[in-house]
Amino acid sequence: MSNEYALAVEDLTVSFDGFKAVDGLNLYVDKNELRVIIGPNGAGKTTVLDLICGKTRATSGTIRFKGVELTKYPEYKIVQAGVGRKFQTPSIYENLTVLENLEISFPRGRSVFGSLTFVRSQDVTDRILEIAETIFLSEHLEEQAGLLSHGQKQWLEIGMLLIQDPELLMLDEPVAGMSVSEREKTAELLNKISQGRSVIVIEHDMEFVKRIAHKVTVLHQGKVLAEGNMDAVQNNPKVIEVYLGH
Ligand code: ADP
Ligand code: MG
């Protein structure tokens, strides 16, 4: 029964002028699962996230999230349903402090009168401090976000998503451009935030994938080439061929 899964994607296809970037994809993700999607450039990984978050419309197929069909929902309703998505480049407010960035991402913080006019209540403050701790930025709350390191900016954006408490969090190549120690901390961060929600991570760095993945899905030409634990996937002849061929 696909209803047991947090996310059930079935027969998902998107065609751009006849080219199927995603082609009959099936993907099932459990609650508390951290799934990593790997695959060569152009395999369709980013497009899968675009389809789930409603940025791109499916040509056919279904995306059920906690039993609700998402393919016809506008993007904002998909966010409201509990899906958060991080793009490859961090989109933070460079001129605001870390604290202010987290504050305006708090669901109640958004008002038509401008995000910064709202009064901070104790529970909002507590939540912000808790998230700041999780993303290793407790000591940087008053710092201007534009002055953070690249890795810290990535963490801040993850924090801005976490503050909305999504039940499914999707991250596209979160450690690209990070230092070794930032990668290690990000692995720790992702392991922590996959408790109590589902997480989908697209990643290239195999050392990083090993540290975080519960299950790995290998995409190739818009289709699932292989799926399973890291060892099984790495030793799969079809996977080896695709990677050596590139
Ligand atoms: P990946 O993230 O795995 O590298 P993408 O999902 O970005 O791959 O792209 C998969 C394929 O779909 C690529 O060949 C890309 O050029 C194509 N593609 C992605 N988005 C569009 C679009 N909006 N219009 C046309 N082609 C697209
Ligand atoms: Mg991509």
Side-chain angles (χ1 to χ4, degrees):
M1 279 293 293
S2 51
N3 266 354
E4 294 166 21
Y5 296 101
L7 178 74
V9 170
E10 290 180 331
D11 286 327
L12 190 67
T13 298
V14 68
S15 175
F16 298 119
D17 297 322
F19 167 72
K20 290 179 178 173
V22 174
D23 187 5
L25 180 80
N26 294 315
L27 182 72
Y28 303 94
V29 182
D30 281 321
K31 193 176 177 191
N32 297 312
E33 181 182 349
L34 195 164
R35 175 71 57 92
V36 178
I37 300 179
I38 63 170
N41 271 334
K45 304 179 298 294
T46 297
T47 305
V48 169
L49 299 198
D50 289 345
L51 287 163
I52 296 170
C53 77
K55 186 171 174 256
T56 297
R57 291 285 143 202
T59 306
S60 59
T62 58
I63 302 169
R64 279 194 309 280
F65 176 61
K66 297 187 295 167
V68 177
E69 175 55 49
L70 296 186
T71 42
K72 301 287 183 292
Y73 271 21
E75 279 181 81
Y76 80 92
K77 279 194 84 174
I78 295 174
V79 171
Q80 282 174 0
V83 178
R85 189 261 178 94
K86 187 190 171 313
F87 290 87
Q88 273 172 271
T89 41
S91 53
I92 54 170
Y93 300 95
E94 303 248 334
N95 295 325
L96 300 182
T97 65
V98 168
L99 178 67
E100 287 164 343
N101 268 279
L102 292 172
E103 218 165 49
I104 58 170
S105 305
F106 194 84
R108 271 187 289 160
R110 292 193 215 95
S111 85
V112 287
F113 304 111
S115 326
L116 296 177
T117 59
F118 93 115
V119 180
R120 221 183 291 164
S121 68
Q122 191 56 50
D123 57 328
V124 176
T125 304
D126 290 348
R127 177 91 182 122
I128 288 171
L129 296 180
E130 186 194 325
I131 300 281
E133 177 94 48
T134 305
I135 58 172
F136 319 110
L137 293 177
S138 293
E139 310 295 308
H140 302 271
L141 282 170
E142 300 301 334
E143 227 164 273
Q144 199 181 317
L147 300 177
L148 296 172
S149 75
H150 170 75
Q152 289 172 325
K153 286 179 186 173
Q154 299 277 15
W155 295 336
L156 177 57
E157 196 185 359
I158 292 172
M160 292 163 73
L161 290 166
L162 284 178
I163 217 146
Q164 299 171 42
D165 204 16
E167 287 175 69
L168 169 63
L169 185 57
M170 305 191 290
L171 310 161
D172 201 346
E173 302 188 20
V175 298
M178 280 191 184
S179 68
V180 172
S181 76
E182 284 174 339
R183 278 166 198 250
E184 281 170 8
K185 286 173 95 171
T186 305
E188 186 189 316
L189 171 62
L190 296 189
N191 285 325
K192 188 169 178 190
I193 65 182
S194 65
Q195 289 159 24
R197 62 169 58 82
S198 312
V199 179
I200 299 177
V201 181
I202 292 176
E203 196 44 66
H204 283 298
D205 177 341
M206 290 302 168
E207 286 309 309
F208 182 75
V209 174
K210 275 183 205 164
R211 299 178 80 120
I212 60 167
H214 299 174
K215 235 193 221 177
V216 177
T217 298
V218 187
L219 267 195
H220 180 50
Q221 297 177 341
K223 295 186 174 81
V224 175
L225 183 71
E227 194 169 86
N229 66 35
M230 189 67 191
D231 280 345
V233 159
Q234 271 192 315
N235 293 313
N236 183 314
K238 286 191 286 183
V239 176
I240 293 167
E241 196 188 316
V242 161
Y243 273 94
L244 291 179
H246 282 73

